[in-house]
Amino acid sequence: MMNIYVGNLAYGVTQDELKTAFSAYGEISSVNLITDKFTGESKGFGFVEMPNNSEADAAIKGLNETPLKGRNLKVNQAKPRGERPSRGPRW
């Protein structure tokens, strides 16, 4: 199972469009487009889970820096939450 980060998304991109782009490379477990909890608008990134690592690697190589709705995607393996740098204290 691989969790893939997808960034630099155009704000009009839907979860279905992401799923379609990635399904060309293999089976998709889930697609999660990150939205603002107040406005409901896309934050410009999301995550795609693929159960087969070799298909996920192919999707990363095939889709990174390719345009979707006018913006080049940034696609790479998502880092586990614990490895992200701290953004300072949360009050």
Side-chain angles (χ1 to χ4, degrees), residues 17-88:
E17 287 168 328
L18 268 186
K19 188 171 188 171
T20 299
F22 277 83
S23 64
Y25 294 90
E27 186 184 344
I28 309 290
S29 301
S30 68
V31 176
N32 186 12
L33 192 60
I34 307 303
T35 55
D36 185 288
K37 63 181 166 196
F38 299 109
T39 66
E41 292 179 357
S42 168
K43 288 197 167 194
F45 70 98
F47 298 92
V48 176
E49 272 192 349
M50 297 181 75
N52 181 307
N53 284 357
S54 62
E55 290 174 354
D57 282 334
I60 290 169
K61 289 184 181 82
L63 292 171
N64 190 38
E65 296 298 338
T66 60
L68 181 61
K69 287 199 168 176
R71 292 181 77 171
N72 284 359
L73 300 176
K74 298 273 183 246
V75 184
N76 52 51
Q77 186 171 352
K79 293 175 176 45
R81 285 187 186 271
E83 290 181 24
R84 292 194 185 133
S86 166
R87 293 190 184 166

